[in-house]
Amino acid sequence: DASPLTGVEPEDWNKVLARLGIDAVLVNLSELSRLAKSGWNAPGLTADRVLEWMRQHTAPLAPPSQWEEFGVFLVRPVMKNGGDA
């Protein structure tokens, strides 16, 4: 399946997610890296870009947990003004 984020810059991902009614994202950085190595990732949807998006445009939905050890995070998109996307 094509990603709705293909061709969209990380700073605009929240707008796309909001338009699709998505208010929580389960991020698996290890899986994104594996997909990139195999050539199956969506263009531009790399672990580095997702990590950049997470740092600048999301807030954690779950407290730090053992999941982080495996590169898995539950986040919510937030707009620059701090509100939900």
Side-chain angles (χ1 to χ4, degrees):
D1 294 347
S3 170
L5 301 178
T6 298
V8 180
E9 292 300 316
E11 60 267 14
D12 295 323
W13 288 357
N14 289 358
K15 294 174 191 170
V16 173
L17 295 172
R19 199 168 35 243
L20 295 170
I22 297 170
D23 59 4
V25 179
L26 182 65
V27 175
N28 185 330
L29 296 172
S30 299
E31 180 66 5
L32 287 169
S33 293
R34 185 190 71 78
L35 289 169
K37 287 177 187 171
S38 67
W40 285 97
N41 63 316
L45 199 58
T46 64
D48 288 341
R49 291 186 88 196
V50 171
L51 192 55
E52 171 193 338
W53 167 74
M54 286 175 52
R55 287 182 180 140
Q56 297 179 17
H57 304 285
T58 72
L61 266 175
S65 70
Q66 63 196 31
W67 287 6
E68 289 184 10
E69 177 181 339
F70 301 104
V72 178
F73 304 86
L74 183 61
V75 298
R76 69 178 170 88
V78 294
M79 299 308 275
K80 288 189 184 241
N81 65 5
D84 291 339

